[in-house]
Amino acid sequence: MTALDGLGSFVFASSGGLLAVEKRFDLFGVLLLSFAVAVTGGITRDLLIGAVPPAAVASWHTLAIAVLGGLLTFYVYSVVQSVRAAALGVPSTSRT
């Protein structure tokens, strides 16, 4: 896994985690949605080009990155929301 793949997986996992926390999911739901969002694009790409098994399920690295992104989002939601708002250039509307 390259650094850009890892960074992309982390950003997408955090995005899924943000949505899950906003929808008031528990920790398991946040981790599940974080993993699903982090790996869906890569799995689809790998299946379309014929790379079987997909890289996201062939190694543990993507799972670890997705879990890290989900845990970080779950436990420090307000900080992650502020970073997201700053990156997008919009004011933070945190409900916590």
Side-chain angles (χ1 to χ4, degrees):
M1 170 179 287
T2 65
L4 286 177
D5 283 337
L7 179 64
S9 295
F10 181 79
V11 169
F12 279 113
S14 297
S15 174
L18 280 169
L19 179 65
V21 170
E22 288 171 3
K23 298 295 181 181
R24 317 228 0 114
F25 285 17
D26 63 352
L27 179 59
F28 179 75
V30 171
L31 294 177
L32 185 66
L33 191 58
S34 293
F35 179 74
V37 171
V39 301
T40 301
I43 288 175
T44 304
R45 176 203 61 218
D46 288 348
L47 292 177
L48 288 173
I49 64 172
V52 178
V57 294
S59 71
W60 59 271
H61 298 99
T62 307
L63 173 64
I65 290 170
V67 167
L68 178 66
L71 286 173
L72 186 69
T73 304
F74 186 79
Y75 286 112
V76 288
Y77 171 76
S78 59
V79 174
V80 176
Q81 179 68 11
S82 297
V83 169
R84 176 180 172 246
L88 294 176
V90 295
S92 178
T93 58
S94 179
R95 290 186 272 172
T96 58

